[in-house]
Amino acid sequence: MKKLLSLLLALTMALSVAACGKTEDTQGGADSSVSDALLSGASESSAENADREAQPKGSVESAPENTDREAQPDGSAESTPENADQKAPPDGSAESAPENADRDNVSSEDSASQDSGHYPITLTDQAGRQVTIEAEPQKLVSGYYISTSLLIALELDEKMVGIEAKADKRAIYRLSAPELTELPSVGSAKEFDLEGCAALEPDLVILPLKLSSAAQTLEELGISVLLVNPEDQTLLTEMIRLVAAATDTEDRAQALLDFTGEQEARLTRTLTDAEQPTVYLAGNSSMLSTAGSAMYQSDMIRLAGGANAAAKLLDAYWVEISYEQLLAWDPEYILLASDAEYSVEDVLADPNLADCSAVANGNVYQMPGDAEAWDSPVPGGILGAVWLSGILHPDLCPEADCAAMIDEYYETFYGFVYSESSPE
């Protein structure tokens, strides 16, 4: 089977080259194996990003994989943990009004087919590509941890036949759908296994934007592919609607989006008149790496009733600062990324920070990561603001109430009780 697929893939790419009259390096040569060709293309378009840097707003360019899952920039357009530089889809390539569940990412010419039975349906993915899905997908492959988490929430995990690399390292899978960790791996954005993915004969493959070359090859083999790029809350909402439309799970997706919307409205209403303490958010690799106002995490702080100490930084990436700058900001709270390589104790014991208000008052915390990183745009990312509101405003958002809402989310969409789970 694999030999046949290899021949088919090689023939497909050879025909594509002949048609274009030019051989592109990223498509691989006829004398190379399919896997080598893809590895070459993926490596050229994306380098591993161990610090999981945030994504720029409104961008769609290929970007390095973010294995350490640094949080994403607010308003950015993978990541990721697996995306550092990806940019948002070009204007007009995909609808960006997530509030409109009836028309997001669905071409108008398909409304009749939806009314008559949903399929076939034509969608515009987050790379601006038109993708037609002829029938309800029964075999799914996800090459990205954010889309995999979404498939679980949409109750589609039993249809999955392939999954991204390092799935056994993700607590959310172990807690909600442990069988996923036993599925064949299709690799990462840096080393995607194109041949292995095709051998699974999926009906639908969901890949991060950086794997656009792999998407093209799979579609030439008759396999439908959606490219997604959920690097801020708007794009995440768009992705949820896109995948739901492709899999006929709009009701489940709407319930997920309703939960997020209700929590946003509750926090806004509850904290409108509250004082906003300053919060310094430190990155995963360095205490002196922080997120400015253009990043996803800044919105999380704002929604939780805080003010980003680094708000004057306009960079769409993590910025390295000095101790002097941090002391000049003198934040009331210091918040560490969920996967920080250092601890709260390290910060409290740092003599350079002895005069910082947050340290002097013991207001140093780390984002929870027992299930997944809420300081990145995962489907449950709203829980980061819910949790943080209980830290910043315990009188208005009691810790017990916040914990109950977090439990409600995971019980409803993932089938486990968060407060009863424990990390390995």
Side-chain angles (χ1 to χ4, degrees), residues 42-301:
S43 297
E44 289 171 6
S45 66
S46 167
E48 184 91 20
N49 182 350
D51 287 333
R52 70 173 170 71
E53 292 200 355
Q55 313 312 315
K57 189 174 196 171
S59 59
V60 242
E61 296 179 359
S62 298
E65 173 166 17
N66 186 348
T67 54
D68 285 344
R69 201 189 19 70
E70 278 281 13
Q72 314 308 315
D74 175 52
S76 73
E78 185 155 26
S79 50
T80 223
E82 291 156 343
N83 170 10
D85 293 323
Q86 279 178 319
K87 302 194 173 184
D91 289 342
S93 65
E95 298 192 30
S96 60
E99 304 79 29
N100 191 336
D102 295 328
R103 60 181 178 80
D104 268 7
N105 303 308
V106 183
S107 64
S108 58
E109 64 186 2
D110 292 298
S111 58
S113 66
Q114 293 179 64
D115 294 340
S116 62
H118 197 80
Y119 298 99
I121 185 172
T122 297
L123 306 169
T124 302
D125 72 6
Q126 292 187 296
R129 301 160 57 253
Q130 295 292 304
V131 180
T132 297
I133 301 173
E134 300 292 344
E136 182 176 350
Q138 299 302 317
K139 296 172 67 177
L140 305 171
V141 167
S142 173
Y144 186 24
Y145 78 102
I146 295 180
S147 56
T148 300
S149 182
L150 174 61
L151 291 177
I152 298 172
L154 296 180
E155 299 182 322
L156 293 168
D157 46 291
E158 292 185 359
K159 290 188 175 183
M160 290 184 62
V161 295
I163 197 170
E164 80 278 1
K166 299 182 180 179
D168 59 336
K169 304 298 183 183
R170 300 200 179 278
I172 188 69
Y173 304 165
R174 172 179 56 80
L175 293 167
S176 60
E179 66 280 0
L180 293 184
T181 63
E182 303 299 323
L183 291 179
S185 168
V186 294
S188 65
K190 185 179 180 182
E191 297 183 3
F192 185 72
D193 184 359
L194 178 56
E195 186 176 346
C197 180
L200 297 172
E201 300 182 346
D203 301 313
L204 177 64
V205 177
I206 305 171
L207 297 177
L209 188 62
K210 71 186 76 176
L211 286 175
S212 56
S213 61
Q216 178 181 345
T217 303
L218 289 169
E219 290 205 324
E220 288 170 352
L221 292 172
I223 298 172
S224 296
V225 181
L226 291 176
L227 289 172
V228 298
N229 193 41
E231 295 312 323
D232 63 25
Q233 187 59 50
T234 297
L235 291 172
L236 174 63
T237 298
E238 183 181 278
M239 184 197 81
I240 291 172
R241 294 201 186 283
L242 174 68
V243 174
T247 57
D248 197 13
T249 54
E250 286 97 334
D251 289 347
R252 182 76 172 175
Q254 190 58 52
L256 182 66
L257 294 173
D258 285 347
F259 181 93
T260 296
E262 289 165 4
Q263 294 308 310
E264 289 180 348
R266 179 187 65 81
L267 290 171
T268 300
R269 181 176 62 252
T270 303
L271 302 172
T272 295
D273 299 323
E275 292 187 8
Q276 297 183 332
T278 52
V279 180
Y280 174 83
L281 176 63
N284 70 332
S285 60
S286 169
M287 170 64 201
L288 296 176
S289 175
T290 193
S293 58
M295 295 179 65
Y296 170 85
Q297 297 80 1
S298 192
D299 250 8
M300 178 188 72
I301 293 171

Side-chain angles (χ1 to χ4, degrees), residues 278 280 287 309 323 325-334 347-348 350-364:
T278 52
Y280 174 83
M287 170 64 201
Y323 278 111
Q325 178 64 78
L326 180 52
L327 290 172
W329 286 336
D330 193 27
E332 296 169 78
Y333 289 81
I334 290 178
V347 175
L348 292 172
D350 189 336
N352 297 296
L353 297 174
D355 294 330
C356 178
S357 294
V359 172
N361 296 321
N363 290 329
V364 180

Side-chain angles (χ1 to χ4, degrees), residues 366-385:
Q366 182 171 12
M367 289 289 299
D370 293 348
E372 55 188 339
W374 299 331
D375 50 336
S376 65
V378 293
I382 185 62
L383 301 179

